[in-house]
Amino acid sequence: MPAQSFNAFCPDWATALLNGFSQIFLQRHPLCGLLCLLAILICAPTLLGGALLGALAGLLTAQRRGYAKADRQAGLFSYNGVLLGLLLSLYLPWSVLLAPLIIAAGGLSAIITQQWLKRARHPTSLPAYTAPFVGLGWLLLSLLQPLPAAPPTLAELSPWSVLGSLFQGLGQIMFLASPLAGLLIAFGLLLANRRAAAWALLGSTCGLLLALLQGEPGQALLGLAGYNSALAALALGQQARGPWRPLLGIGLALLITPGLLALGLAPLTAPFVLACWLVHAGDRVLARHRAPCAPPATPPRLR
């Protein structure tokens, strides 16, 4: 079913909510969002409440403050809230304080996104991507004591486990360590934008291969090595331009990740954001150098 037909049967609030899930992957497509939601429900049902709460908090904050309806319907005020809800549900036990914390974080992310969008119309501004999630996520992780993480169970290195980790790189964008989650997300991307789906899988593959070459099968098989490069490739490869931009984004994301780890920071999606910003900045520098020099202004005649 095309997205337009789906929208005809779906209430506005539900469309906005589903678009919030698809915007994590830079798509405005409610069917893609529905498959992302289904991936959480099947593979990590304990995170579903936090994801929905974060999305609703962002959407209702935007509606309450009178932000543009077109931006609300596009899911631009919800996707950071989804990621924050997933992060907090993953790292903290459910309690009476967790729900208000997710609501506050999701609402604040919508306010930050609105301020960013107001300035994004300037030609020198950079896209927000998931920067509000990264900033608030780092702040929350520095203030809170997360639950001790259980040691992950690694599959034996085999062609099937490598193939599964390729899709798992997409699932890890939403903290889902499951090949099935990545497969559902890949199918959603395929429905929304086949070019974006191909670049996302290529980005995940590059991260996987690099981790295997570096002798880090744990990072590779869990999908942790490829999710930022998948996002960078997805973001920069959707336009019908040369392949150098997404390929450069993949390389930069893979280089930035170990630097953040060395600083003691959780990478989250920061390597993706920083890599895309560097590519956009490089685009502008090249465009400035290619632009023809303006002719000197004619001095006024003296009387």
Side-chain angles (χ1 to χ4, degrees), residues 16 27 32 51 56 67 69 75 83 85 90 97-98 121 132-133 182 185 187 199 211 232 237 240 247 277 282 299-300:
Q27 307 300 314
C32 177
L56 284 170
Y67 297 160
K69 183 178 180 181
L83 290 171
L90 181 68
L97 296 178
L98 182 57
R121 296 176 178 87
F133 157 66
I185 292 166
F187 185 54
W199 275 113
L247 291 175
W277 283 353

Side-chain angles (χ1 to χ4, degrees), residues 13 32 55 57 88 111 134 149 155 202 206 234 249 257 273 292 296:
W13 65 268
C32 177
L88 289 170
I111 296 171
V134 172
L202 178 62
C206 290
L234 195 159
T257 301
V273 174

Side-chain angles (χ1 to χ4, degrees), residues 26-27 29 186 188-198 237-239:
L26 294 96
Q27 307 300 314
H29 199 282
L189 286 173
L190 195 63
L191 290 175
N193 188 328
R194 286 178 292 179
R195 185 183 180 89
Q238 296 191 75
Q239 293 81 18

Side-chain angles (χ1 to χ4, degrees), residues 116-215:
W116 206 301
L117 289 174
K118 286 167 62 176
R119 292 157 178 80
R121 296 176 178 87
H122 194 276
T124 61
S125 61
L126 294 169
Y129 294 126
T130 55
F133 157 66
V134 172
L136 291 172
W138 279 345
L139 177 63
L140 289 168
L141 289 178
S142 68
L143 296 176
L144 302 172
Q145 183 66 35
L147 286 172
T153 55
L154 296 180
E156 187 177 340
L157 192 62
S158 68
W160 286 112
S161 64
V162 170
L163 180 62
S165 64
L166 172 64
F167 289 101
Q168 202 160 313
L170 299 183
Q172 286 287 4
I173 296 171
M174 295 198 303
F175 306 100
L176 303 176
S178 167
L180 177 58
L183 192 60
L184 289 169
I185 292 166
F187 185 54
L189 286 173
L190 195 63
L191 290 175
N193 188 328
R194 286 178 292 179
R195 185 183 180 89
W199 275 113
L201 287 172
L202 178 62
S204 179
T205 302
C206 290
L208 169 66
L209 292 176
L210 181 62
L212 289 175
L213 289 174
Q214 291 178 334

Side-chain angles (χ1 to χ4, degrees), residues 9-20:
F9 295 98
C10 193
D12 284 352
W13 65 268
T15 301
L17 196 67
L18 292 176
N19 282 336

Side-chain angles (χ1 to χ4, degrees), residues 62-80:
Q63 185 174 357
R64 180 76 174 178
R65 297 177 70 90
Y67 297 160
K69 183 178 180 181
D71 291 340
R72 298 200 310 264
Q73 287 299 109
L76 297 182
F77 299 111
S78 299
Y79 70 96
N80 283 292

